[in-house]
Amino acid sequence: MKKMLQDLREVAVHAILGAADPQALEALRIQYLGKKGDLTKLLKMMGKLDPSERPAMGQLANQVRAEVENALAQRKDELSAMLLERRLTSEAVDVTIPGKPTQIGHEHPMYVVLDEIKDIFIGMGFEILEGPEVELSEYNFTKLNTDEGHPAREWSDTFYLTEDSSILLRTQTSPMQIRAMEEKELPIRMLAPGRVYRKDEVDATHSPMFHQIEGMVIDKGVTMADLKGTLDAVMKKLYGEDTVTRFRPHHFPFTEPSCEMDVQCHKCGGKGCPTCKGEGWIEILGAGMVHPKVLEGCGIDTNVYSGWAFGMGLERLAMRRFKISDLRLIFENDVRFLEQF
Ligand code: DAH
Protein backbone atom coordinates (compact mmCIF):
# COMPACT_ATOMS: atom_id res chain seq x y z
CA MET A 1 0.00 0.00 0.00
CA LYS A 2 2.75 2.37 1.01
CA LYS A 3 4.66 1.62 -2.17
CA MET A 4 1.55 2.11 -4.27
CA LEU A 5 0.89 5.51 -2.67
CA GLN A 6 4.49 6.59 -3.11
CA ASP A 7 4.54 5.45 -6.76
CA LEU A 8 1.29 7.23 -7.44
CA ARG A 9 2.65 10.41 -5.89
CA GLU A 10 5.77 10.29 -8.03
CA VAL A 11 3.98 9.54 -11.30
CA ALA A 12 1.12 11.97 -10.65
CA VAL A 13 3.28 14.95 -9.62
CA HIS A 14 5.59 14.36 -12.57
CA ALA A 15 2.71 14.17 -15.02
CA ILE A 16 0.96 17.18 -13.54
CA LEU A 17 4.01 19.44 -13.59
CA GLY A 18 4.53 18.48 -17.23
CA ALA A 19 0.94 19.11 -18.36
CA ALA A 20 1.03 21.07 -21.60
CA ASP A 21 -2.21 23.00 -21.29
CA PRO A 22 -5.25 23.52 -19.01
CA GLN A 23 -7.20 20.73 -20.76
CA ALA A 24 -4.44 18.17 -20.11
CA LEU A 25 -4.20 19.37 -16.50
CA GLU A 26 -7.93 18.91 -15.95
CA ALA A 27 -7.72 15.38 -17.41
CA LEU A 28 -4.94 14.57 -14.92
CA ARG A 29 -6.96 15.95 -12.02
CA ILE A 30 -9.81 13.62 -12.94
CA GLN A 31 -7.43 10.73 -13.47
CA TYR A 32 -6.01 11.00 -9.94
CA LEU A 33 -8.50 12.81 -7.77
CA GLY A 34 -11.78 12.13 -9.61
CA LYS A 35 -14.52 9.89 -8.21
CA LYS A 36 -13.05 6.94 -10.04
CA GLY A 37 -9.52 8.31 -9.88
CA ASP A 38 -6.39 6.38 -8.97
CA LEU A 39 -5.96 7.93 -5.53
CA THR A 40 -9.65 7.58 -4.74
CA LYS A 41 -9.41 3.88 -5.59
CA LEU A 42 -6.42 3.45 -3.29
CA LEU A 43 -8.24 5.22 -0.45
CA LYS A 44 -11.17 2.89 -0.89
CA MET A 45 -8.78 -0.04 -0.39
CA MET A 46 -7.87 1.33 3.08
CA GLY A 47 -10.78 -0.54 4.59
CA LYS A 48 -9.09 -3.83 3.82
CA LEU A 49 -5.93 -2.93 5.69
CA ASP A 50 -4.96 -4.26 9.04
CA PRO A 51 -6.31 -1.72 11.64
CA SER A 52 -2.80 -1.20 13.02
CA GLU A 53 -1.58 -0.02 9.63
CA ARG A 54 -4.48 2.34 8.94
CA PRO A 55 -3.36 5.50 10.83
CA ALA A 56 0.07 5.60 9.15
CA MET A 57 -1.38 4.80 5.72
CA GLY A 58 -4.18 7.35 6.22
CA GLN A 59 -1.63 9.99 7.03
CA LEU A 60 0.47 9.11 3.98
CA ALA A 61 -2.60 9.08 1.77
CA ASN A 62 -3.58 12.57 2.97
CA GLN A 63 -0.05 13.76 2.34
CA VAL A 64 -0.09 12.35 -1.19
CA ARG A 65 -3.48 13.96 -1.88
CA ALA A 66 -2.16 17.31 -0.60
CA GLU A 67 0.95 17.06 -2.74
CA VAL A 68 -1.06 16.16 -5.83
CA GLU A 69 -3.38 19.08 -5.14
CA ASN A 70 -0.42 21.43 -4.66
CA ALA A 71 1.10 20.24 -7.91
CA LEU A 72 -2.21 20.85 -9.69
CA ALA A 73 -2.45 24.39 -8.28
CA GLN A 74 1.16 25.16 -9.08
CA ARG A 75 0.81 23.96 -12.66
CA LYS A 76 -2.41 25.85 -13.09
CA ASP A 77 -0.65 29.10 -12.14
CA GLU A 78 2.30 28.31 -14.38
CA LEU A 79 0.04 27.55 -17.34
CA SER A 80 -2.02 30.74 -17.01
CA ALA A 81 1.18 32.78 -16.71
CA MET A 82 2.49 31.08 -19.85
CA LEU A 83 -0.75 31.68 -21.72
CA LEU A 84 -0.75 35.34 -20.74
CA GLU A 85 2.86 35.65 -21.84
CA ARG A 86 2.04 34.02 -25.17
CA ARG A 87 -0.93 36.34 -25.76
CA LEU A 88 1.13 39.38 -24.88
CA THR A 89 3.75 38.47 -27.47
CA SER A 90 1.33 37.41 -30.18
CA GLU A 91 -0.99 40.38 -29.73
CA ALA A 92 1.73 42.94 -29.18
CA VAL A 93 1.29 46.24 -31.04
CA ASP A 94 4.28 47.27 -33.05
CA VAL A 95 4.34 50.98 -32.34
CA THR A 96 7.04 51.49 -34.95
CA ILE A 97 4.78 50.51 -37.90
CA PRO A 98 3.93 53.66 -39.88
CA GLY A 99 0.27 54.74 -39.46
CA LYS A 100 -2.34 54.37 -42.20
CA PRO A 101 -2.70 57.67 -44.06
CA THR A 102 -6.08 59.31 -43.38
CA GLN A 103 -8.09 60.78 -46.23
CA ILE A 104 -8.66 64.37 -45.15
CA GLY A 105 -10.45 65.63 -48.25
CA HIS A 106 -9.66 68.88 -50.02
CA GLU A 107 -10.59 72.53 -49.82
CA HIS A 108 -13.61 73.19 -52.02
CA PRO A 109 -12.84 75.24 -55.16
CA MET A 110 -15.81 77.50 -54.46
CA TYR A 111 -14.42 78.37 -51.05
CA VAL A 112 -11.00 78.99 -52.58
CA VAL A 113 -12.65 81.66 -54.73
CA LEU A 114 -14.75 82.97 -51.84
CA ASP A 115 -11.65 83.42 -49.69
CA GLU A 116 -9.92 85.34 -52.49
CA ILE A 117 -12.93 87.61 -52.88
CA LYS A 118 -13.18 88.19 -49.13
CA ASP A 119 -9.47 89.08 -49.04
CA ILE A 120 -9.88 91.59 -51.86
CA PHE A 121 -12.82 93.32 -50.16
CA ILE A 122 -11.27 93.23 -46.69
CA GLY A 123 -8.28 94.98 -48.26
CA MET A 124 -10.69 97.73 -49.36
CA GLY A 125 -12.06 98.20 -45.86
CA PHE A 126 -15.19 96.03 -46.12
CA GLU A 127 -16.39 93.91 -43.20
CA ILE A 128 -17.78 90.40 -43.69
CA LEU A 129 -21.33 89.82 -42.42
CA GLU A 130 -23.38 86.67 -42.04
CA GLY A 131 -27.13 86.51 -41.77
CA PRO A 132 -30.03 84.07 -41.52
CA GLU A 133 -31.00 81.73 -44.36
CA VAL A 134 -34.49 81.50 -42.85
CA GLU A 135 -35.61 85.05 -43.44
CA LEU A 136 -38.65 87.29 -43.09
CA SER A 137 -40.44 88.16 -46.35
CA GLU A 138 -40.31 91.68 -44.95
CA TYR A 139 -36.52 91.68 -45.32
CA ASN A 140 -36.24 89.47 -48.39
CA PHE A 141 -38.81 91.49 -50.38
CA THR A 142 -40.82 94.32 -48.80
CA LYS A 143 -37.98 96.42 -47.40
CA LEU A 144 -36.15 95.83 -50.69
CA ASN A 145 -38.94 97.70 -52.51
CA THR A 146 -40.48 94.45 -53.76
CA ASP A 147 -44.14 94.73 -52.74
CA GLU A 148 -46.88 92.11 -52.53
CA GLY A 149 -47.84 91.06 -56.03
CA HIS A 150 -44.33 91.36 -57.43
CA PRO A 151 -43.56 88.30 -59.59
CA ALA A 152 -40.40 87.55 -57.56
CA ARG A 153 -42.67 86.73 -54.59
CA GLU A 154 -44.48 83.89 -56.42
CA TRP A 155 -44.99 80.67 -54.44
CA SER A 156 -43.78 78.79 -57.52
CA ASP A 157 -40.30 80.35 -57.18
CA THR A 158 -39.86 80.64 -53.44
CA PHE A 159 -39.64 78.19 -50.54
CA TYR A 160 -42.11 79.72 -48.10
CA LEU A 161 -42.13 78.24 -44.61
CA THR A 162 -45.50 79.61 -43.45
CA GLU A 163 -49.00 79.64 -45.03
CA ASP A 164 -49.16 83.43 -44.78
CA SER A 165 -45.85 83.65 -46.70
CA SER A 166 -44.24 85.77 -43.99
CA ILE A 167 -41.20 83.50 -43.53
CA LEU A 168 -39.11 81.92 -46.28
CA LEU A 169 -35.73 80.55 -47.25
CA ARG A 170 -34.04 83.69 -48.53
CA THR A 171 -34.02 83.89 -52.32
CA GLN A 172 -31.11 86.34 -52.37
CA THR A 173 -28.47 87.75 -50.01
CA SER A 174 -29.91 91.25 -50.52
CA PRO A 175 -31.86 91.20 -47.20
CA MET A 176 -28.41 91.57 -45.63
CA GLN A 177 -28.43 95.14 -47.00
CA ILE A 178 -31.46 95.87 -44.80
CA ARG A 179 -30.01 94.09 -41.78
CA ALA A 180 -26.74 96.01 -42.13
CA MET A 181 -28.48 99.37 -42.51
CA GLU A 182 -30.71 98.71 -39.51
CA GLU A 183 -27.94 97.47 -37.26
CA LYS A 184 -24.73 99.25 -38.27
CA GLU A 185 -23.44 102.73 -37.75
CA LEU A 186 -22.82 104.71 -40.95
CA PRO A 187 -20.75 104.62 -43.05
CA ILE A 188 -21.12 100.96 -44.07
CA ARG A 189 -18.84 98.82 -46.21
CA MET A 190 -20.03 95.24 -46.05
CA LEU A 191 -19.74 91.92 -47.85
CA ALA A 192 -22.29 89.20 -47.04
CA PRO A 193 -21.73 85.79 -48.64
CA GLY A 194 -24.15 82.92 -48.06
CA ARG A 195 -26.62 80.34 -49.27
CA VAL A 196 -29.84 81.25 -51.06
CA TYR A 197 -32.77 79.10 -52.18
CA ARG A 198 -35.08 79.03 -55.18
CA LYS A 199 -37.47 76.45 -56.57
CA ASP A 200 -35.26 75.47 -59.52
CA GLU A 201 -34.82 71.99 -60.97
CA VAL A 202 -31.25 70.69 -60.84
CA ASP A 203 -29.37 70.87 -64.14
CA ALA A 204 -25.92 71.90 -65.39
CA THR A 205 -26.55 75.55 -64.46
CA HIS A 206 -29.32 75.43 -61.81
CA SER A 207 -29.70 74.22 -58.25
CA PRO A 208 -32.41 74.91 -55.65
CA MET A 209 -29.60 76.01 -53.32
CA PHE A 210 -26.71 78.16 -54.38
CA HIS A 211 -24.46 80.90 -53.03
CA GLN A 212 -24.46 84.63 -53.51
CA ILE A 213 -22.20 87.39 -52.33
CA GLU A 214 -23.86 90.65 -51.46
CA GLY A 215 -21.85 93.85 -51.19
CA MET A 216 -22.91 97.32 -50.15
CA VAL A 217 -21.39 100.73 -49.43
CA ILE A 218 -23.34 103.55 -47.75
CA ASP A 219 -21.52 106.82 -47.21
CA LYS A 220 -21.68 110.53 -47.94
CA GLY A 221 -21.26 111.45 -51.59
CA VAL A 222 -21.14 107.90 -52.97
CA THR A 223 -21.83 107.71 -56.72
CA MET A 224 -22.15 105.26 -59.59
CA ALA A 225 -18.50 106.04 -60.40
CA ASP A 226 -17.48 104.45 -57.08
CA LEU A 227 -19.54 101.37 -57.93
CA LYS A 228 -17.92 100.98 -61.35
CA GLY A 229 -14.41 101.75 -60.15
CA THR A 230 -14.58 99.36 -57.21
CA LEU A 231 -16.12 96.43 -59.09
CA ASP A 232 -13.73 96.88 -62.03
CA ALA A 233 -10.78 96.85 -59.61
CA VAL A 234 -12.12 93.71 -57.91
CA MET A 235 -12.43 91.85 -61.23
CA LYS A 236 -8.87 92.82 -62.19
CA LYS A 237 -7.60 91.46 -58.87
CA LEU A 238 -9.62 88.28 -59.32
CA TYR A 239 -9.07 87.54 -63.00
CA GLY A 240 -5.91 89.48 -63.82
CA GLU A 241 -4.94 93.09 -64.65
CA ASP A 242 -5.93 92.79 -68.32
CA THR A 243 -9.56 91.96 -67.43
CA VAL A 244 -12.08 94.13 -69.26
CA THR A 245 -15.50 94.91 -67.73
CA ARG A 246 -18.62 96.58 -69.04
CA PHE A 247 -21.79 97.83 -67.36
CA ARG A 248 -25.24 97.46 -68.96
CA PRO A 249 -28.44 99.10 -67.78
CA HIS A 250 -30.81 96.69 -66.03
CA HIS A 251 -33.67 96.71 -63.56
CA PHE A 252 -33.77 95.67 -59.91
CA PRO A 253 -36.49 96.88 -57.55
CA PHE A 254 -34.05 97.90 -54.83
CA THR A 255 -31.56 99.91 -56.92
CA GLU A 256 -31.96 102.98 -59.10
CA PRO A 257 -30.26 103.16 -61.48
CA SER A 258 -29.50 99.45 -61.83
CA CYS A 259 -26.99 97.66 -64.00
CA GLU A 260 -25.40 94.36 -64.77
CA MET A 261 -21.67 93.94 -65.08
CA ASP A 262 -20.06 91.67 -67.67
CA VAL A 263 -16.47 90.55 -67.96
CA GLN A 264 -14.99 90.17 -71.42
CA CYS A 265 -14.56 86.52 -72.34
CA HIS A 266 -11.02 85.43 -71.47
CA LYS A 267 -11.11 82.68 -74.12
CA CYS A 268 -11.90 84.72 -77.22
CA GLY A 269 -11.14 88.26 -76.05
CA GLY A 270 -14.65 89.42 -76.91
CA LYS A 271 -14.97 87.92 -80.38
CA GLY A 272 -17.49 85.27 -79.35
CA CYS A 273 -16.83 81.57 -78.67
CA PRO A 274 -18.52 78.54 -77.05
CA THR A 275 -17.37 79.61 -73.56
CA CYS A 276 -19.28 82.90 -73.78
CA LYS A 277 -21.97 81.36 -76.01
CA GLY A 278 -20.96 83.65 -78.85
CA GLU A 279 -21.55 86.79 -76.78
CA GLY A 280 -17.97 87.86 -76.20
CA TRP A 281 -18.99 88.80 -72.63
CA ILE A 282 -19.93 86.87 -69.52
CA GLU A 283 -22.45 88.27 -67.06
CA ILE A 284 -21.00 88.40 -63.54
CA LEU A 285 -23.26 90.40 -61.28
CA GLY A 286 -26.18 92.74 -60.73
CA ALA A 287 -25.64 96.11 -59.07
CA GLY A 288 -26.91 99.64 -58.72
CA MET A 289 -27.35 102.68 -56.53
CA VAL A 290 -29.39 101.73 -53.46
CA HIS A 291 -32.95 102.95 -54.07
CA PRO A 292 -33.91 106.02 -51.98
CA LYS A 293 -37.03 104.17 -50.82
CA VAL A 294 -34.84 101.38 -49.40
CA LEU A 295 -32.52 103.85 -47.68
CA GLU A 296 -35.41 105.81 -46.20
CA GLY A 297 -37.13 102.60 -45.07
CA CYS A 298 -34.03 101.96 -42.96
CA GLY A 299 -34.09 105.49 -41.54
CA ILE A 300 -31.18 106.83 -43.61
CA ASP A 301 -31.29 110.48 -44.66
CA THR A 302 -30.98 110.46 -48.46
CA ASN A 303 -30.03 114.15 -48.46
CA VAL A 304 -26.80 113.20 -46.72
CA TYR A 305 -26.13 109.59 -47.62
CA SER A 306 -26.17 107.49 -50.76
CA GLY A 307 -24.94 104.00 -51.51
CA TRP A 308 -24.33 101.30 -54.03
CA ALA A 309 -24.79 97.56 -53.85
CA PHE A 310 -24.15 94.44 -55.85
CA GLY A 311 -24.98 90.75 -55.76
CA MET A 312 -23.17 87.96 -57.55
CA GLY A 313 -23.44 84.20 -57.85
CA LEU A 314 -20.50 82.43 -56.24
CA GLU A 315 -20.85 79.12 -58.10
CA ARG A 316 -20.73 80.92 -61.41
CA LEU A 317 -17.57 82.78 -60.41
CA ALA A 318 -15.90 79.55 -59.31
CA MET A 319 -16.98 77.73 -62.47
CA ARG A 320 -15.57 80.50 -64.63
CA ARG A 321 -12.41 80.72 -62.59
CA PHE A 322 -11.64 76.98 -62.68
CA LYS A 323 -13.32 76.19 -66.02
CA ILE A 324 -15.87 73.84 -64.44
CA SER A 325 -18.61 73.04 -66.93
CA ASP A 326 -21.33 71.51 -64.75
CA LEU A 327 -22.77 73.08 -61.58
CA ARG A 328 -23.61 69.67 -60.15
CA LEU A 329 -19.89 68.89 -59.76
CA ILE A 330 -19.70 71.76 -57.26
CA PHE A 331 -22.24 70.12 -54.96
CA GLU A 332 -21.35 66.44 -55.30
CA ASN A 333 -18.15 66.86 -53.25
CA ASP A 334 -16.43 63.96 -54.97
CA VAL A 335 -12.87 64.17 -53.67
CA ARG A 336 -11.53 63.07 -57.07
CA PHE A 337 -13.06 66.26 -58.44
CA LEU A 338 -12.11 68.53 -55.53
CA GLU A 339 -8.49 67.40 -55.59
CA GLN A 340 -8.00 68.95 -59.01
CA PHE A 341 -8.00 72.47 -57.61
N1 DAH B 1 -30.34 90.10 -55.49
C1 DAH B 1 -30.18 90.13 -56.92
C2 DAH B 1 -30.47 88.74 -57.48
O1 DAH B 1 -30.56 87.81 -56.74
C3 DAH B 1 -28.79 90.54 -57.30
C4 DAH B 1 -28.52 91.98 -57.01
C5 DAH B 1 -28.76 92.93 -57.96
C6 DAH B 1 -28.04 92.39 -55.80
C7 DAH B 1 -28.51 94.26 -57.75
C8 DAH B 1 -27.78 93.74 -55.54
C9 DAH B 1 -28.03 94.64 -56.54
O2 DAH B 1 -27.30 94.17 -54.40
O3 DAH B 1 -27.76 95.96 -56.30
O4 DAH B 1 -30.66 88.63 -58.65
Side-chain angles (χ1 to χ4, degrees), residues 41-51 53-54:
K41 277 187 211 151
L42 276 180
L43 289 174
K44 279 181 183 154
M45 284 162 62
M46 289 284 214
K48 294 172 189 154
L49 284 178
D50 189 291
E53 276 185 286
R54 272 186 217 157

Side-chain angles (χ1 to χ4, degrees), residues 171-174 177 198 210 212 214-215 252 254-255 258-259 285-289 308-312:
T171 62
Q172 49 187 357
T173 43
S174 303
Q177 292 184 29
R198 291 182 195 175
F210 59 101
Q212 286 189 337
E214 196 78 12
F252 297 105
F254 38 89
T255 43
S258 304
C259 61
L285 54 80
M289 299 305 292
W308 59 270
F310 70 91
M312 57 186 173

Side-chain angles (χ1 to χ4, degrees), residues 126-132 135 139 143-144 170 173-193 214-218 290 294-295 297-300 308-309:
F126 284 62
E127 71 175 309
I128 312 292
L129 299 184
E130 266 183 50
E135 184 56 281
Y139 284 76
K143 282 172 179 266
L144 286 164
R170 66 179 178 189
T173 43
S174 303
M176 287 307 291
Q177 292 184 29
I178 307 298
R179 290 185 176 275
M181 284 188 273
E182 286 187 351
E183 285 161 29
K184 300 269 161 195
E185 298 281 320
L186 297 177
I188 296 170
R189 281 185 181 75
M190 71 89 171
L191 192 76
E214 196 78 12
M216 185 182 70
V217 173
I218 310 281
V290 181
V294 175
L295 291 170
C298 296
I300 292 174
W308 59 270

Side-chain angles (χ1 to χ4, degrees), residues 6-304:
Q6 282 166 343
D7 285 353
L8 183 137
R9 168 169 62 191
E10 197 169 320
V11 173
V13 168
H14 184 78
I16 286 167
L17 293 182
D21 52 51
Q23 291 77 11
L25 191 63
E26 176 61 9
L28 288 169
R29 189 189 65 78
I30 293 168
Q31 183 185 335
Y32 294 112
L33 302 183
K35 271 191 187 138
K36 293 174 185 166
D38 294 353
L39 186 61
T40 319
K41 277 187 211 151
L42 276 180
L43 289 174
K44 279 181 183 154
M45 284 162 62
M46 289 284 214
K48 294 172 189 154
L49 284 178
D50 189 291
S52 64
E53 276 185 286
R54 272 186 217 157
M57 280 310 117
Q59 212 182 354
L60 180 61
N62 281 337
Q63 237 178 47
V64 170
R65 166 181 273 276
E67 280 175 43
V68 170
E69 279 172 351
N70 281 342
L72 281 166
Q74 180 190 334
R75 190 60 185 162
K76 192 176 166 199
D77 287 350
E78 284 172 5
L79 282 177
S80 52
M82 269 164 57
L83 276 177
L84 180 65
E85 188 61 33
R86 221 177 288 163
R87 272 188 61 189
L88 284 176
T89 9
S90 69
E91 293 173 16
V93 176
D94 182 351
V95 293
T96 65
I97 292 174
K100 288 184 193 148
T102 17
Q103 178 60 270
I104 55 166
H106 192 277
E107 190 179 12
H108 197 288
M110 200 174 67
Y111 285 93
V112 173
V113 173
L114 177 57
D115 282 346
E116 281 179 20
I117 293 171
K118 280 186 188 170
D119 279 351
I120 294 169
F121 278 96
I122 288 170
M124 293 175 158
F126 284 62
E127 71 175 309
I128 312 292
L129 299 184
E130 266 183 50
E133 291 169 27
V134 173
E135 184 56 281
L136 300 170
S137 293
E138 177 89 0
Y139 284 76
N140 194 85
F141 293 129
T142 316
K143 282 172 179 266
L144 286 164
N145 196 30
T146 312
D147 288 325
E148 304 273 348
H150 193 283
R153 300 182 74 137
E154 293 282 342
W155 271 71
S156 55
D157 300 333
T158 303
F159 291 105
Y160 284 104
L161 300 180
T162 53
E163 282 296 329
D164 67 357
S165 47
S166 60
I167 302 175
L168 43 69
L169 294 179
R170 66 179 178 189
T171 62
Q172 49 187 357
T173 43
S174 303
M176 287 307 291
Q177 292 184 29
I178 307 298
R179 290 185 176 275
M181 284 188 273
E182 286 187 351
E183 285 161 29
K184 300 269 161 195
E185 298 281 320
L186 297 177
I188 296 170
R189 281 185 181 75
M190 71 89 171
L191 192 76
R195 277 184 273 272
V196 301
Y197 302 83
R198 291 182 195 175
K199 281 189 183 166
D200 284 327
E201 297 289 334
V202 174
D203 66 23
T205 52
H206 292 86
S207 159
M209 186 280 292
F210 59 101
H211 296 71
Q212 286 189 337
I213 306 176
E214 196 78 12
M216 185 182 70
V217 173
I218 310 281
D219 205 345
K220 290 176 184 158
V222 170
T223 71
M224 191 89 183
D226 299 309
L227 180 164
K228 292 180 73 174
T230 309
L231 292 178
D232 183 72
V234 169
M235 289 305 134
K236 286 187 160 62
K237 284 217 164 90
L238 198 59
Y239 291 125
E241 277 306 314
D242 53 355
T243 303
V244 183
T245 60
R246 79 172 180 191
F247 293 81
R248 283 179 289 104
H250 201 79
H251 170 77
F252 297 105
F254 38 89
T255 43
E256 183 57 38
S258 304
C259 61
E260 280 190 329
M261 187 188 76
D262 301 333
V263 166
Q264 196 168 63
C265 181
H266 59 284
K267 266 267 175 70
C268 62
K271 289 189 202 76
C273 71
T275 302
C276 56
K277 300 195 184 82
E279 297 281 321
W281 297 87
I282 295 166
E283 182 209 315
I284 296 284
L285 54 80
M289 299 305 292
V290 181
H291 199 294
K293 269 193 177 172
V294 175
L295 291 170
E296 280 156 17
C298 296
I300 292 174
D301 184 350
T302 49
N303 292 314
V304 184

